[in-house]
Amino acid sequence: MSDRDPLQGIPPERLDWHQGAIDGDPAVCAVPQPGQPSYPCIWSKGYHERHQDVFGRTWRTVSDEPLYVARKAPVVDGMVTVQTRDHGPVTLPEPSWCTGVHPGEEFRADIEHQGAETSVAIPTACHGVVPALDVSLVQRPFSPQESGVHAVVRIAEEWHAMSPARLDVAAGLLVEHAEVLREMARTLREVAK
């Protein structure tokens, strides 16, 4: 068995929300997760269709839907074993950035290493703090299309794979857009006087 901390690799801002949920922070949803009460919802109190825990596991706000359970596979000597239907148990190296969540898979090609998701948390008047622009490292080591490590970015509710060059371009565009937002904030201050 691994003595790895289950919260190892989780970004500090997600850990803060998790601790807030545990401590009863009034800004945090903190709805207990069915079967995992130690990992409550870390979203803000604002409306959200699905609850989410610190690992990214989600469950519906409607309690009659079965919980999607993503189990942490034990890591032994840097290796993890994932159950598949087409190849049985598959043992492979576990990257240090992987969160260790490996549900059983139908096909070996679907085995995926997932890094912790990070996002910008933007405070809004209508929904409280809302996460935006989630990003994570991902690898599907047996995928015939893309077996290397790459980033995925959620834009307009869809996940998009990004190479290092594309991720740099996206970062540059966001920096430029931040200037637009700052200019708009200055304009808004002027017209709101």
Side-chain angles (χ1 to χ4, degrees):
M1 290 299 287
S2 170
D3 51 345
R4 181 170 103 171
D5 178 355
L7 297 176
Q8 178 182 345
I10 303 294
E13 57 275 6
R14 288 182 71 88
L15 289 174
D16 288 345
W17 281 94
H18 174 69
Q19 193 61 50
I22 299 294
D23 294 344
D25 185 320
V28 184
C29 175
V31 167
Q33 182 177 166
Q36 297 281 341
S38 298
Y39 298 103
C41 179
I42 64 166
W43 289 127
S44 72
K45 287 275 190 182
Y47 173 77
H48 44 278
E49 286 186 18
R50 298 184 71 84
H51 295 298
Q52 184 178 72
D53 74 2
V54 69
F55 300 113
R57 295 178 294 207
T58 61
W59 66 100
R60 298 277 302 162
T61 54
V62 179
S63 61
D64 59 350
E65 180 182 308
L67 173 67
Y68 162 71
V69 179
R71 303 189 193 293
K72 288 186 74 76
V75 178
V76 179
D77 295 326
M79 304 295 280
V80 66
T81 300
V82 179
Q83 293 295 325
T84 66
R85 293 195 66 180
D86 64 344
H87 285 82
V90 176
T91 301
L92 65 156
E94 175 81 334
S96 61
W97 50 263
C98 183
T99 60
V101 177
H102 296 285
E105 294 290 357
E106 187 79 17
F107 303 104
R108 183 178 67 171
D110 293 332
I111 292 174
E112 182 174 80
H113 294 296
Q114 301 172 350
E117 289 178 25
T118 60
S119 61
V120 175
I122 300 174
T124 68
C126 52
H127 293 107
V129 177
V130 177
L133 204 65
D134 300 330
V135 63
S136 174
L137 292 179
V138 170
Q139 181 187 25
R140 286 186 158 190
F142 300 102
S143 169
Q145 286 84 27
E146 175 62 69
S147 63
V149 180
H150 57 280
V152 289
V153 180
R154 188 180 350 219
I155 304 168
E157 297 306 312
E158 295 288 329
W159 287 99
H160 301 274
M162 300 266 183
S163 67
R166 286 186 186 267
L167 202 55
D168 277 339
V169 167
L173 292 170
L174 288 171
V175 169
E176 290 175 17
H177 195 63
E179 287 303 316
V180 171
L181 292 175
R182 286 188 180 102
E183 182 59 37
M184 195 173 292
R186 286 190 286 273
T187 302
L188 184 58
R189 276 191 208 96
E190 289 301 315
V191 294
K193 287 183 180 178

